[in-house]
Amino acid sequence: MGFSTGGSTRRRSATGAAVAVAMLGGATACGSESGTAPDPKLTPAQAVSRAAETTTGLTSLRYRVTGTVPQHGRIRAEASMGVDPSVMRMKITGLGDVADKPVEIRFVGGALYTRADTKALGDTRGRHWAKAEPAVWGSGTADNRSYGVLPRQLEGSPLVQSTILAGAPKVRETGTETVDGSRTTHYAGEVTSKGLRKAQAAAGDQKTRELRMNGLDQLLGLSLRSGSELAMDLWVDGDGRAKRFRLRGDTRGLDGKGREVDTGPLDLTFTFLEADPSVDVEPPAADDTVDIGALVDQGRTG
């Protein structure tokens, strides 16, 4: 949980801990109803590849996430996101010591805002929001930063995560289903980092190579056990876009001594509720916000 505003590593560590305490109570841790039939000329692999291109062309999204996240358990979230500029707002239940209460999160202007019990930070004059920066959501795995507030698997853009199946060596079509009122075709397959690297190398054009590279990056961000498979399902609607996808795998992480250990199963389902909606994410009022970085600095100099 790094933090950097040009200060020291010690400041980053202190700020990260403060964010977790404040925000998680001490935990560390779209189409029409009928749609149209899929193109019968496309193979399952071609249909999934086309969906990857079409879905990543969206500029905003409203979506829902349900399932099991390692070290948290069952979670449920509803969110809206925009691509340029990168913004996101989410209400999520199942996090840390506040698992039974919804946590409201916003990423906007390079900062993370969370509506939290700020009493854990001391005298905050009744303010309801905590702020940490710099924060990054929806970018590359190495760049994303939510200070441990969000599980790592929720820091990536679902638009990009939906493309991972396009790098599978074999994609199966399993039938048609109605998802959130839309008729969809269901595809499934297994993905590994090795397989995605091969798919990237075999890509016939720059755009496809970039899609596979980004899919590999998002796969690595899921924290799967080394060498293990990700089982992925993808439901594609009549517009040729992802409507739902499910990610399942076994994860690994580091314990307090830096040793790699099993951290449990990952099983997340993302459902796209509205494609290209109007999304407006605003920072909370400054007089209702606690700047955690500033508090850390005050504590170090006080």
Side-chain angles (χ1 to χ4, degrees):
M1 291 193 319
F3 183 88
S4 174
T5 57
S8 66
T9 300
R10 185 178 176 188
R11 182 179 189 273
R12 293 196 297 269
S13 177
T15 301
V19 172
V21 168
M23 300 181 179
L24 298 181
T28 57
C30 325
S32 65
E33 182 172 346
S34 59
T36 58
D39 189 338
K41 300 183 182 67
L42 297 180
T43 67
Q46 289 170 335
V48 168
S49 292
R50 186 184 71 168
E53 295 182 14
T54 306
T55 304
T56 51
L58 296 176
T59 59
S60 61
L61 179 71
R62 188 168 64 87
Y63 63 100
R64 178 173 61 238
V65 190
T66 58
T68 303
V69 180
Q71 301 176 311
H72 287 279
R74 296 286 302 177
I75 62 100
R76 178 182 176 86
E78 293 217 6
S80 296
M81 58 156 287
V83 173
D84 188 14
S86 179
V87 295
M88 190 271 279
R89 64 170 179 261
M90 173 183 286
K91 286 188 177 180
I92 181 171
T93 56
L95 295 183
D97 292 346
V98 293
D100 59 336
K101 299 178 181 178
V103 175
E104 188 173 352
I105 297 168
R106 299 180 191 177
F107 282 85
V108 58
L112 161 69
Y113 299 88
T114 300
R115 189 174 178 88
D117 181 7
T118 59
K119 294 177 183 177
L121 298 173
D123 182 10
T124 57
R125 302 177 184 177
R127 298 179 183 185
H128 300 94
W129 290 84
K131 172 186 178 182
E133 60 179 342
V136 180
W137 177 90
S139 187
T141 294
D143 300 320
N144 289 332
R145 180 180 297 168
S146 71
Y147 300 93
V149 174
L150 280 177
R152 190 181 186 195
Q153 294 84 357
L154 296 185
E155 290 183 338
S157 165
L159 296 177
V160 183
Q161 290 173 325
S162 74
T163 72
I164 294 174
L165 186 60
K170 184 176 182 180
V171 178
R172 306 179 299 276
E173 180 180 330
T174 68
T176 58
E177 300 172 31
T178 299
V179 175
D180 197 45
S182 295
R183 182 168 176 257
T184 67
T185 303
H186 182 184
Y187 301 96
E190 290 72 44
V191 189
T192 64
S193 58
K194 183 178 180 180
L196 269 171
R197 288 188 177 94
K198 287 183 177 179
Q200 180 185 349
D205 59 81
Q206 181 63 26
K207 183 176 182 179
T208 303
R209 280 192 293 275
E210 289 179 358
L211 282 171
R212 300 297 177 269
M213 178 180 67
N214 292 337
L216 173 61
D217 174 77
Q218 293 302 308
L219 177 68
L220 297 176
L222 298 178
S223 300
L224 297 184
R225 192 170 59 199
S226 179
S228 67
E229 288 185 336
L230 171 73
M232 182 165 177
D233 296 81
L234 177 70
W235 289 260
V236 178
D237 66 16
D239 295 321
R241 289 193 299 253
K243 180 64 179 177
R244 171 178 287 171
F245 64 94
R246 184 182 183 188
L247 309 172
R248 289 171 291 159
D250 296 316
T251 66
R252 298 274 277 180
L254 299 179
D255 65 11
K257 297 182 179 180
R259 298 172 301 190
E260 191 176 78
V261 296
D262 291 329
T263 50
L266 170 73
D267 188 348
L268 284 178
T269 298
F270 295 72
T271 302
F272 293 1
L273 304 175
E274 186 178 1
D276 281 338
S278 175
V279 175
D280 184 20
V281 182
E282 296 289 340
D287 60 4
D288 196 27
T289 301
V290 180
D291 188 323
I292 293 179
L295 283 182
V296 170
D297 285 342
Q298 291 171 12
R300 286 170 52 79
T301 59

